Amino acid sequence: MDQRKDHLPLFKIPSHFINGFLTVIFAGSTGVEVSTLNMDLIPLNFALIGAAATLSASLYAPFTSVVLIYNLLPSGYQLFLPILVCCFISFIVAKLILPYNVYTYDFYLSSRRLKKKKSTSKS
């Protein structure tokens, strides 16, 4: 088998599932703590918003993730604004942290190698 070293790391692949799992745990813990405020928090809503934010950050496509998650819900209009805000915040933070997304990772690596070859050939 071809052992490529320039592929996306395996620990980044299941990020949607891990994010959904963590948001469900967080939503469950906040549901217990905020129960004194008489708020009905639904853990599934936290998981869907977290999945939309993760999708937006990994693809650099906030509108796509908003539409995909919005269409999963039968009464999604109630979560439209929180999904929209979280998607754009995660998109901006991802742009600040990483110069590439899932689709441009190979191109980013090849451009770095090309720059490195040019810098070593000049000296």
Side-chain angles (χ1 to χ4, degrees):
M1 289 192 145
D2 182 25
Q3 295 292 334
R4 290 180 21 172
K5 298 293 182 187
D6 58 353
H7 67 281
L8 196 62
L10 291 177
F11 65 88
K12 290 187 179 182
I13 293 172
S15 63
H16 298 293
F17 301 110
I18 292 171
N19 187 25
F21 181 71
L22 290 176
T23 52
V24 167
I25 289 174
F26 178 72
S29 68
T30 56
V32 172
E33 295 161 359
V34 187
S35 63
T36 58
L37 299 174
N38 200 11
M39 294 177 63
D40 293 327
L41 299 176
I42 303 170
L44 180 64
N45 291 347
F46 284 92
L48 288 172
I49 291 171
T54 306
L55 185 67
S56 173
S58 62
L59 298 180
Y60 286 179
F63 287 119
T64 302
S65 59
V66 167
V67 170
L68 286 173
I69 300 297
Y70 184 71
N71 286 328
L72 288 174
L73 304 170
S75 60
Y77 60 88
Q78 296 172 344
L79 289 178
F80 183 73
L81 191 60
I83 289 174
L84 188 69
V85 169
C86 288
C87 284
F88 278 105
I89 288 173
S90 67
F91 170 70
I92 291 168
V93 169
K95 281 282 219 186
L96 292 173
I97 293 173
L98 295 174
Y100 56 86
N101 62 12
V102 173
Y103 299 119
T104 61
Y105 182 71
D106 290 334
F107 177 72
Y108 173 74
L109 285 179
S110 64
S111 66
R112 283 186 57 195
R113 280 193 213 111
L114 192 64
K115 287 179 186 177
K116 189 182 288 186
K117 284 181 184 178
K118 284 183 182 180
S119 67
T120 56
S121 66
K122 287 182 182 179
S123 38

